[in-house]
Amino acid sequence: MNWDVLMPLILFLVVIFFIGIWSNRKMVKSTSFLSDYFLGSRELGGLVLAMTMVATYGSASSFLGGPGAAYTIGLGWVLLAMTQVATGYFVLLILGKKFAIVARRYKAVTLIDFLKERYQSKSVVLLSALSIIIFLFAAMAAQWVGGAYLIQSLTGLTYTSALFVFAIAVLIYVIIGGFRAVALTDTLQGIVMFVGTLLLLIGVVIAGGGLDNIFADLMNENPNLITPFGQDGQLTALYVSSFWILVGVGVVGLPQVAVRAMSYRDSKSMHRALIIGTIVVGFIMLNMHLIGVFARPVLPGIEVADQVIPLIALEVLPGWLAGLVLAAPLAAMMSTVDSLLLLVSSSVVKDVYMNYIKPEASNNHIMKVSMGVTGFLGVGVFLLAINPPELLIMLNLFAFGGLEAAFIWPVVLGLYWKYGNKYGALASMITGVASYIAIYQYNSTYGDILGVHAVVIPVALSLVAFVTFSLLIKRKAYYFPTKIN
């Protein structure tokens, strides 16, 4: 046991649990359990909004999988990863004010609440909930695996034991505190990530003998490692450009990110979050992925690339500082897991159970069901994560692509196109998800169709389906509210 490394991490977890307990006390006093548990009563300020978006989006794939891929592929993966910089900007710019106005008018607590009111269709609600449950299970499994890898590297526990420790830590404070605990701890975690990545990058550069030395070592090993095309030329210009659809523009369709756009306090908070979020995402993504590449000459031959961050931190930093720095990836994974857990839980409780099974349920009953479902889902993800994939980032990106193919056009065109209707939404979701799964499987076996990422063609097909079916089965134009009632 590396106790000098573990003590800062343990202190970090203690602080998080105290925030969860405080949030629980405030939530119990709330007049609307659902709004508080799943949206924090729409009270997020600019800094908290920015940090909760950054911490939710920055996950195991950003802090373990991404650097692991950069360690394997080289600087080309850093270039590809930087397409994520504008993520928060796009989400708040495209959804932002209009989404918040509509969501408040509908009293929407979840993304599916918005879709239910906008399209007035039980089929849209059930298909949306099913898509969220399926794809977010994959995304949550990636975070569970990442947390287990990190704890395993630090403690020497077996993978399964480390997975159990991580699962218990997350479940306790999510079940107790809800969205308010998630948002407040995300702020703390975002700050830890910002500082931690900078400290670790400096440590790796010093350990590698400076940038000139590191680049010379990479060049001697494989000149392709310092090109934009990857160690064996797999990152073509077309593929990198298409990847921007997945991790840049398409993020607008991710339910876990979109829900943030309905939770802020006022326009000033949103504008502040636009600036803070863009700067923080760019800083963290650049640092973490550079660390992955620069670690290659310092620690050659790492067998599980996803473990590069904990291993390099233990190698180049004093124990106590490594513990502080490794709170960053732990923070990223916990913040993403808690958000995803709440999102899937809200899909089950609010969008299915309350809408179609027990709409007259009391506040106390809903509280018990919500916490029970959240705990049950956590156990399910734990079982799913027992056999981890080879590269963590691929599992996370698969989930991202599926959610984007399902939701991007029903959300965006649902907000901005008055002729969009339930027939277009259903056609878009079915076309997007079915084509994404089929193309993803084909690409995994035979290589990328047209040289682009698997999400690009399904997003285009789902757009065509939405517009075509909305116009074929045209109904009266939809009225868009312009102010909060």
Side-chain angles (χ1 to χ4, degrees):
M1 289 282 185
N2 299 313
W3 287 109
D4 54 340
V5 179
L6 286 173
M7 285 311 296
L9 284 172
I10 292 170
L11 288 173
F12 177 76
L13 289 175
V14 169
V15 171
I16 282 177
F17 290 142
F18 273 114
I19 291 174
I21 292 167
W22 175 85
S23 297
N24 179 262
R25 288 178 178 173
K26 187 159 184 175
M27 182 176 64
V28 167
K29 297 174 185 176
S30 172
T31 54
S32 174
F33 169 78
L34 278 174
S35 179
D36 202 287
Y37 192 72
F38 292 123
L39 271 189
S41 294
R42 306 183 203 271
E43 294 176 356
L44 301 194
L47 175 65
V48 178
L49 174 63
M51 287 305 187
T52 193
M53 288 187 72
V54 169
T56 299
Y57 185 72
S59 60
S61 67
S62 304
F63 283 80
L64 295 182
Y71 180 90
T72 304
I73 294 169
L75 285 176
W77 194 267
V78 181
L79 174 65
L80 182 145
M82 291 310 290
T83 56
Q84 302 171 78
V85 171
T87 295
Y89 184 84
F90 270 119
V91 171
L92 291 177
L93 192 68
I94 294 172
L95 298 183
K97 193 170 183 179
K98 193 176 187 71
F99 194 48
I101 289 170
V102 175
R104 280 165 167 78
R105 185 176 182 203
Y106 291 160
K107 296 182 173 56
V109 173
T110 68
L111 178 66
I112 299 179
D113 274 346
F114 162 74
L115 295 174
K116 175 175 178 279
E117 292 298 322
R118 171 63 178 85
Y119 296 110
Q120 298 291 312
S121 168
K122 182 177 180 179
S123 299
V124 168
V125 171
L126 294 178
L127 188 56
S128 299
L130 185 63
S131 299
I132 284 177
I133 292 166
I134 291 172
F135 288 112
L136 285 189
F137 249 79
M140 281 194 288
Q143 312 311 313
W144 247 251
V145 172
Y149 277 152
L150 179 60
I151 293 171
Q152 182 185 22
S153 302
L154 296 177
T155 62
L157 292 170
T158 64
Y159 171 79
T160 306
S161 301
L163 182 65
F164 181 76
V165 169
F166 180 76
I168 292 297
V170 173
L171 283 173
I172 288 174
Y173 96 91
V174 178
I175 291 172
I176 289 174
F179 188 91
R180 190 187 304 278
V182 169
L184 291 175
T185 51
D186 279 355
T187 306
L188 172 63
Q189 290 161 346
I191 294 168
V192 170
M193 286 187 269
F194 192 88
V195 176
T197 57
L198 179 60
L199 291 175
L200 184 53
L201 179 62
I202 293 169
V204 171
V205 171
I206 293 171
L211 290 175
D212 289 343
N213 239 17
I214 290 172
F215 279 106
D217 289 342
L218 291 169
M219 175 74 86
N220 290 335
E221 182 184 349
N222 182 350
N224 285 339
L225 289 170
I226 60 172
T227 71
F229 309 112
Q231 93 278 21
D232 58 6
Q234 72 269 49
L235 299 179
T236 63
L238 187 59
Y239 183 84
V240 172
S241 301
S242 71
F243 201 81
W244 191 48
I245 302 294
L246 178 69
V247 298
V249 179
V251 174
V252 171
L254 291 179
Q256 68 268 36
V257 177
V259 74
R260 263 72 189 158
M262 63 168 74
S263 60
Y264 60 86
R265 186 188 304 124
D266 50 35
S267 296
K268 186 178 178 183
S269 300
M270 186 196 77
H271 296 149
R272 188 178 294 127
L274 275 170
I275 298 167
I276 297 172
T278 303
I279 293 170
V280 173
V281 166
F283 185 85
I284 289 174
M285 292 299 166
L286 180 61
N287 285 357
M288 289 308 297
H289 290 84
L290 283 177
I291 290 165
V293 180
F294 293 169
R296 188 161 178 143
V298 179
L299 272 183
I302 294 177
E303 291 183 10
V304 181
D306 289 333
Q307 292 184 336
V308 63
I309 291 299
L311 292 177
I312 196 68
L314 293 171
E315 176 72 19
V316 305
L317 298 176
W320 65 272
L321 187 54
L324 284 174
V325 168
L326 289 174
L330 184 65
M333 286 173 279
M334 291 184 71
S335 62
T336 303
V337 164
D338 55 37
S339 300
L340 299 185
L341 259 178
L342 281 178
L343 193 61
V344 178
S345 175
S346 69
S347 296
V348 174
V349 176
K350 177 74 174 64
D351 304 317
V352 178
Y353 184 78
M354 286 189 63
N355 281 340
Y356 304 112
I357 298 175
K358 199 163 185 177
E360 73 285 354
S362 67
N363 213 40
N364 192 47
H365 179 75
I366 295 166
M367 183 185 298
K368 291 177 182 176
V369 171
S370 298
M371 292 182 177
V373 168
T374 304
F376 179 77
L377 289 168
V379 173
V381 177
F382 171 83
L383 297 175
L384 189 65
I386 287 177
N387 292 312
E390 268 187 47
L391 262 184
L392 192 61
I393 194 165
M394 298 310 166
L395 185 58
N396 210 47
L397 293 179
F398 167 75
F400 270 31
L403 290 167
E404 289 170 13
F407 290 107
I408 185 167
W409 302 122
V411 172
V412 175
L413 293 183
L415 272 178
Y416 289 99
W417 190 42
K418 63 183 180 180
Y419 292 111
N421 58 41
K422 65 180 180 181
Y423 305 104
L426 281 171
S428 177
M429 294 173 77
I430 293 169
T431 301
V433 171
S435 61
Y436 176 72
I437 292 173
I439 291 172
Y440 189 90
Q441 291 299 324
Y442 180 91
N443 287 0
S444 300
T445 307
Y446 302 107
D448 298 325
I449 297 175
L450 303 178
V452 299
H453 190 274
V455 78
V456 175
I457 297 172
V459 164
L461 292 176
S462 63
L463 172 60
V464 172
F466 188 99
V467 174
T468 302
F469 277 82
S470 290
L471 293 177
L472 279 177
I473 315 174
K474 202 169 182 180
R475 293 291 185 266
K476 64 180 181 179
Y478 174 75
Y479 165 71
F480 291 101
T482 55
K483 61 182 181 179
I484 301 170
N485 286 348

